[in-house]
Amino acid sequence: MRRSMNRDNQSSVSEFILLGLPIRLEEQGMYYALFLLMYLTTVLGNLLIILLIRLDSRLHTPMYFFLSHLALTDISFSSVTAPKMLMNMLTKSQSISYAGCISQVYFFVLFADIDSFLLTSMAYDRYVAICHPLYYTTIMSQRRCFLLVIVSWGLSIANALVHTILLSFLSFARDNTLHHFFCDLSALLKLSSSDTTVNEMVILILGTVVIVLPFICILVSYGQIGATILKAPSIKGICKALSTCGSHLCVVSLYYGGIIGIYFFPSSNNTNDKNVIVTVLYSVVTPMVNPFIYSLRNRDMKGALRNLLSRGIFPV
């Protein structure tokens, strides 16, 4: 009896088959080159942001402290799925080991959660800077900034561990084909032959804590910012708010737009290509465009880049 129970608690598959992106076989080469370029742009662009913030003393502020951590998280977030996807496209292989799949779920959830918390911390930073400018340096002290990042990592690690541990108890005896380009948690639950009621309940509860509540905090922060600007409306004040908040709002819209599109308006059929395409948007495209958003819309970042080039660190 005990042996039977242990067998039921373990996956009976040694690997999963990833069907990948919904593209035709003859277009594989073109899309491989495109996604390789996007991934390299993500890594190099975010590394450039980290380098600029590290080298320019004028960027040693709470806002750019959070931005540097966001850039590092974006590199990691994209690296969870993109290299495996590119390797599968290159080798024409669609398999991923059971251990590799579970690991991919853990790190995808981990870095997605950290992104959410960091975006919330950046919104709080903008709220304090605009609504309480006289107390900004006191409230956004170095200690508080470090604490916000540490709490973000701690909550994200705990959340990812809970989902991964619960996932490891499920059985996948019926099928091992995933209609996705990576091991997505929701796709794996649909594939499992076990009862996933507990998993789905935990996703709902913890998803509220790590995604919904941070999003509400961001909305409240920008609501307060808008109310503060309207109390003393001026062209200068509005321009300053737009210059400091515009980049962050663009990133928030891209990130949460993708999540809302998948989890709040899910497809009725797990073979629907919409979920795959939207996941590409917020897990591959968004980390790539973040450096462009912050560099093109941010005067300080453009100034730091000009200073870096003028020193001759990078040949022009």
Side-chain angles (χ1 to χ4, degrees), residues 93-152:
S93 170
Q94 296 178 306
S95 64
I96 182 172
S97 67
Y98 176 78
C101 192
I102 298 296
S103 299
Q104 201 173 52
V105 169
Y106 172 78
F107 287 108
F108 186 86
V109 173
L110 171 65
F111 292 118
D113 291 349
I114 294 174
D115 253 3
S116 178
F117 286 123
L118 287 176
L119 289 172
T120 307
S121 298
M122 294 172 75
Y124 176 68
D125 172 75
R126 293 300 83 204
Y127 158 74
V128 175
I130 293 174
C131 299
H132 304 284
L134 297 179
Y135 302 99
Y136 179 74
T137 54
T138 303
I139 297 174
M140 298 305 297
S141 62
Q142 188 179 55
R143 180 181 178 183
R144 177 162 294 185
C145 292
F146 275 112
L147 182 62
L148 286 171
V149 171
I150 291 170
V151 169
S152 298

Side-chain angles (χ1 to χ4, degrees), residues 66-74 115 118-119 122 251 290 294:
F66 293 128
L67 178 57
S68 65
H69 282 273
L70 181 67
L72 180 61
T73 303
D74 279 341
D115 253 3
L118 287 176
L119 289 172
M122 294 172 75
V251 175
N290 284 358
Y294 279 104

Side-chain angles (χ1 to χ4, degrees), residues 240-252:
K240 182 180 179 181
L242 289 176
S243 65
T244 57
C245 301
S247 302
H248 182 252
L249 277 173
C250 288
V251 175
V252 168

Side-chain angles (χ1 to χ4, degrees), residues 28-199:
Q28 287 272 355
M30 179 184 69
Y31 278 97
Y32 173 80
L34 175 62
F35 282 107
L36 177 61
L37 178 62
M38 291 170 63
Y39 178 63
L40 292 176
T41 302
T42 299
V43 174
L44 296 176
N46 283 288
L47 282 176
L48 178 60
I49 282 184
I50 296 171
L51 180 65
L52 291 175
I53 295 173
R54 178 79 175 178
L55 294 179
D56 197 318
S57 59
R58 293 173 301 176
L59 301 181
H60 293 174
T61 63
M63 178 176 137
Y64 294 107
F65 172 76
F66 293 128
L67 178 57
S68 65
H69 282 273
L70 181 67
L72 180 61
T73 303
D74 279 341
I75 293 173
S76 305
F77 189 35
S78 184
S79 297
V80 172
T81 58
K84 179 60 179 174
M85 177 184 68
L86 290 168
M87 186 174 71
N88 286 358
M89 292 173 71
L90 184 65
T91 62
K92 310 299 182 184
S93 170
Q94 296 178 306
S95 64
I96 182 172
S97 67
Y98 176 78
C101 192
I102 298 296
S103 299
Q104 201 173 52
V105 169
Y106 172 78
F107 287 108
F108 186 86
V109 173
L110 171 65
F111 292 118
D113 291 349
I114 294 174
D115 253 3
S116 178
F117 286 123
L118 287 176
L119 289 172
T120 307
S121 298
M122 294 172 75
Y124 176 68
D125 172 75
R126 293 300 83 204
Y127 158 74
V128 175
I130 293 174
C131 299
H132 304 284
L134 297 179
Y135 302 99
Y136 179 74
T137 54
T138 303
I139 297 174
M140 298 305 297
S141 62
Q142 188 179 55
R143 180 181 178 183
R144 177 162 294 185
C145 292
F146 275 112
L147 182 62
L148 286 171
V149 171
I150 291 170
V151 169
S152 298
W153 273 91
L155 291 176
S156 301
I157 289 171
N159 181 55
L161 272 176
V162 170
H163 290 305
T164 308
I165 291 171
L166 288 175
L167 181 63
S168 67
F169 284 107
L170 299 181
S171 175
F172 298 91
R174 294 181 304 190
D175 190 12
N176 70 334
T177 303
L178 282 169
H179 298 273
H180 225 300
F181 67 95
F182 77 106
C183 290
D184 178 62
L185 178 59
S186 60
L188 282 168
L189 294 185
K190 292 176 183 178
L191 200 64
S192 174
S193 56
S194 304
D195 182 11
T196 60
T197 303
V198 174
N199 302 71

Side-chain angles (χ1 to χ4, degrees), residues 2 7 19 91 129 143 224 292 295:
R2 182 177 299 174
R7 193 180 299 115
L19 294 187
T91 62
R143 180 181 178 183
Q224 292 291 325
F292 293 100
S295 61

Side-chain angles (χ1 to χ4, degrees), residues 180 184-187 190 200 203-204 256-279 282:
H180 225 300
D184 178 62
L185 178 59
S186 60
K190 292 176 183 178
E200 291 168 358
I203 288 175
L204 180 63
Y256 284 102
I259 292 178
I260 290 171
I262 291 178
Y263 298 106
F264 287 83
F265 300 99
S267 302
S268 57
N269 189 342
N270 68 337
T271 63
N272 196 301
D273 295 338
K274 187 203 78 171
N275 286 357
V276 178
I277 295 171
V278 177
T279 305
Y282 85 88

